[in-house]
Structure formats: structure tokens, C-alpha cells
Amino acid sequence: MIKNDLFLKALKGETVERPPVWMMRQAGRYLPEFMELRKKYDFFTRCQTPELASEITVQPIRRYGMDAAILFSDILVIPQAMDIEVQMKPNFGPYLPNPIRSQEDLDKVIVPDIQDTLGYVMDAITMTKEKLNDEVPLIGFAGSPWTLLCYCVEGQGSKSFDKARGFCFTQPKAAHELLQKITDTTIAYLKAKVKAGVNAVQIFDSWGGMLSPQDYQEFSWNYIQQIVDALKDEAPVIVFGKGCWFALKEMANSGASAVGVDWTCSAQNARYLTGGNVTLQGNFDPARLLSPPEKIKEMVTQMIRDFGKDKYIVNLGHGILPNIPVENAKAFIDAVKEYKE
Ligand code: CP3
């Protein structure tokens, strides 16, 4: 039994006294105690060492008391496990020296045994659960197959992922084969995470908004739906797509317990597009955390009124930015905890 079950209640659509709150990318980045560990250990060492990953996961909970923790890791551990080399370059971001550009490249990509390749994630979950001591639920996550394809084909971050989209449109057969391999790996991975103890899972489709609504159905949504189908009876699933307001209807009808919304979609529109019945999560503009704390509190209170306190999880509309002052992040969390109807 989890002591603070606000988040799990909201995922079930149950009535709550106030909505739960957590922040995407809350583990790491802007926290001084994280920056200390970051000086000493490189990125994948932090991910692969359960002591470090679990410590980083609980740091924001200790400081702010969010209603859920998210496991410190990265979406790119999946391509790594599939035998695609991934480096995290300081001041640059992800770098994949051998991107997938042809059927020949693709033939080398494996669907791995999860315990052999990603057992360290399960160990990090076990250790995190011990540290959390059932105070708050733990969220596990994965990137969407499309978002992972973006990195695998582009080889690095990009503003528009032209090479990734070009790959899908010039070599659709290969693209679908890669997406299916990622999907199969992701399903096994998320099932293992649930078995290891996570209480919910979130799928991040960070680059879904790069696709047209039709192409989104073909290259992204079909695969996310497979993941939701495979996971929904084992744990609540949250689907989040950045820039994907056009897919909110499918997301709401998918069997997912909650649907993430970014800040370019109003609460009213999000409720309308999702049919009013599914739990929504979002959608504070991450850059708005640069406003003065008093302004943040005022805007968060208004955001809760706009979404309604039930069937709602307070969050940002995308990950927290690295330059957010700790007192501003605190104002965001406190505003929710102080919320009264
Ligand atoms: O709350 C959390 O932060 C949990 C851990 C987490 C990380 N990455 C750690 C990380 C999560 C949930 C992610 C997801 C992730 N990773 C996404 C989807 C969410 C989103 O923001 O869109 C994406 C697209 C990635 C890929 C990735 N990893 C990029 C583009 C970068 C570099 C830029 C940056 O800082 O985000 C990373 C590196 C990364 N992943 C860092 C952290 C804390 C920073 C690098 C470092 O600490 O050395």
C-alpha cells in the first residue's frame, strides 16, 4: 500500500481533495544536489549504477515532496540495449555514431533479452522502492517507438528530425521494421519494470509533433497503441505526446489511464478533444517557471480551475528546464498542495 495515493487515485479517475503533482524531468537537471553527482559520474554511469539512479530519483521528493517519483534513467537505454551505440556528450546531448540509414544497418539491430541488457534498471527500481518506503508511487517510462526512431536515424538531437522523417517516407518498410523491433523491446522492458515494482508507466512521444496527423497515425500512434494494449492490464499507462493535440482523441480512447497535454493546448480544448472522461496531465509552460514565485502560484491555481481538480494530474507541458531556480519549482509544487476549491 502506498501512503500518498493521490496520483494513483487520479489515474483511476477517483475524486480527490486536490490533484496530485509531479514534474516531467524532475529528477536531475536543475537540482544542486544532482549537479554534485553529475560532476563525479558520467551520464550512463549514473543510469547504470542503482545506488546513483535511486538516489537521484528520490532527491526531488525529499526537497519538494511531489506526489510521485519518476525513475532516473533515459529513453535511450532502449536503443543501447538493441546494440545501437549511444553516447551522451557533455554540452551536446545524445550522439549515436552509427545511425540507422539502411536495411543493412537495421539487420544488425537486435530485440534483446531485457534482464541481460537492462537488468540494472530493475535493480535501480528495487533500490528506489526501498528508499521511497511506500511514501509515494514510482513512475517508470519509455520513449515512444517513433521518438526513439528519431534518435536512431538522425544520430543526434534535431529541431525537425528531417532525416528521420525522410527515412520513413523513402524506406517505409525498413522504418516499420525498426519501429516494430523497438515496440517489442519496449513492451518487454515496461513489463519487466512493472514486475520490478513501478506503479505506473509513462510513454514519452517527445517528437510526435514533427509528423502530420496522418503520418502520426502510421508511424507513431499504431505502435504506442500496441504498448498500451500490452501494458494496460498490468499498470496504469500515461501517454504524452509533445505537439500531438491532434491525436488526443485516439489517446483518450486507447485504454491509457491518463493523457499528457503540452502548453499549446488549452485545458478546455484538451477536455473537449478527449471527450471529457479521461484523466489529463499537464500543461504548464516550462519556461513559465521563470516567472516570479507569486505569479507561478497564481497561474497554477488558475490552471487547476481550468482543468478541474478531478481526473487531473498537475504537471508541466514538457520537461523542466535546467535553468529553473529551486524556489520557483517549489512555488509550482506548493501552489498545488495549498489548493482549495
Ligand atoms: O525526471 C527525470 O529527469 C527522469 C529521467 C529522465 C532523463 N531523460 C534523464 C536525463 C527522463 C524521463 C528522460 C527522458 C528523455 N530523454 C526524453 C523524453 C522526455 C523529453 O524531455 O522529451 C528524451 C527526448 C530524452 C533524450 C535525451 N536525454 C536528451 C535529448 C538529452 C540531452 C538534453 C537534456 O538535458 O535533456 C538527454 C540527457 C539527459 N537525460 C539528462 C538527464 C538528467 C541530462 C544530461 C546529464 O545529466 O548529463
Side-chain angles (χ1 to χ4, degrees):
M1 278 302 281
I2 307 281
K3 286 166 211 153
N4 173 350
D5 62 352
L6 274 180
F7 175 72
L8 298 174
K9 277 183 156 168
L11 285 172
K12 284 189 220 142
E14 291 174 9
T15 303
V16 286
E17 54 276 29
R18 64 158 177 91
V21 58
W22 68 283
M23 295 188 293
M24 287 192 271
R25 311 292 302 269
Q26 69 189 17
R29 302 191 123 185
Y30 62 105
L31 282 183
E33 52 272 39
F34 170 76
M35 296 313 282
E36 282 304 308
L37 286 176
R38 193 171 184 270
K39 277 188 227 152
K40 287 192 225 152
Y41 307 97
D42 71 62
F43 183 71
F44 284 113
T45 303
R46 277 175 270 144
C47 290
Q48 289 163 7
T49 312
E51 289 80 2
L52 293 174
S54 61
E55 176 60 22
I56 297 168
T57 302
V58 301
Q59 280 176 346
I61 309 301
R62 279 193 208 121
R63 186 184 269 268
Y64 301 114
M66 291 93 167
D67 299 304
I70 181 160
L71 186 72
F72 179 80
S73 186
D74 200 82
I75 62 169
L76 298 171
V77 301
I78 288 284
Q80 229 171 23
M82 298 173 75
D83 262 358
I84 302 171
E85 186 183 342
V86 182
Q87 302 166 5
M88 197 57 75
K89 289 196 178 180
N91 306 316
F92 179 83
Y95 179 66
L96 294 75
N98 307 303
I100 308 298
R101 301 279 166 80
S102 65
Q103 183 67 43
E104 206 189 348
D105 297 332
L106 181 60
D107 290 340
K108 297 184 202 131
V109 175
I110 62 159
V111 175
D113 179 273
I114 297 299
Q115 195 49 43
D116 289 352
T117 51
L118 294 160
Y120 65 86
V121 178
M122 311 315 147
D123 295 340
I125 292 170
T126 309
M127 204 169 275
T128 305
K129 292 292 286 182
E130 281 165 20
K131 289 188 184 170
L132 287 173
N133 193 26
D134 287 336
E135 294 292 338
V136 291
L138 178 62
I139 305 166
F141 68 90
S144 76
W146 158 252
T147 289
L148 290 176
L149 176 145
C150 280
Y151 288 100
C152 293
V153 172
E154 203 81 25
Q156 61 185 62
S158 161
K159 283 204 160 50
S160 53
F161 288 97
D162 295 339
K163 290 194 186 76
R165 285 184 295 140
F167 179 71
C168 289
F169 306 149
T170 54
Q171 303 181 67
K173 192 177 153 285
H176 282 296
E177 199 185 311
L178 176 56
L179 289 164
Q180 194 60 53
K181 281 187 180 182
I182 297 172
T183 303
D184 295 345
T185 307
T186 302
I187 288 173
Y189 175 59
L190 289 177
K191 283 191 172 183
K193 277 180 151 174
V194 173
K195 229 177 170 180
V198 301
N199 304 97
V201 297
Q202 173 157 324
I203 302 162
F204 284 90
D205 197 3
S206 306
W207 302 114
M210 293 293 122
L211 292 166
S212 73
Q214 284 103 318
D215 288 329
Y216 185 79
Q217 294 297 325
E218 178 176 349
F219 293 100
S220 189
W221 181 252
N222 282 341
Y223 297 93
I224 296 178
Q225 181 70 67
Q226 287 184 41
I227 299 171
V228 176
D229 288 342
L231 264 297
K232 69 177 194 314
D233 295 330
E234 310 199 9
V237 181
I238 306 169
V239 286
F240 166 71
K242 171 80 178 49
C244 298
W245 59 270
F246 53 77
L248 286 177
K249 190 176 172 196
E250 284 81 1
M251 291 177 178
N253 295 329
S254 66
S257 294
V259 174
V261 185
D262 73 30
W263 66 96
T264 63
C265 185
S266 68
Q268 193 190 10
N269 252 332
R271 286 287 180 210
Y272 172 74
L273 291 168
T274 54
N277 232 342
V278 75
T279 296
L280 296 178
Q281 173 177 281
N283 72 342
F284 205 70
D285 177 355
R288 265 291 175 189
L289 287 184
L290 291 165
S291 292
E294 276 318 305
K295 179 74 182 168
I296 293 170
K297 286 192 163 182
E298 195 185 303
M299 291 181 75
V300 169
T301 307
Q302 188 56 45
M303 180 170 76
I304 300 172
R305 292 209 179 103
D306 291 344
F307 276 97
K309 79 165 168 67
D310 290 323
K311 295 188 179 174
Y312 179 46
I313 298 163
V314 180
N315 206 315
L316 305 173
H318 198 189
I320 189 166
L321 301 168
N323 60 339
I324 298 303
V326 285
E327 59 276 18
N328 293 31
K330 182 173 180 333
F332 182 79
I333 305 296
D334 286 351
V336 185
K337 294 189 161 181
E338 291 158 12
Y339 180 81
K340 296 226 163 41
E341 284 246 282

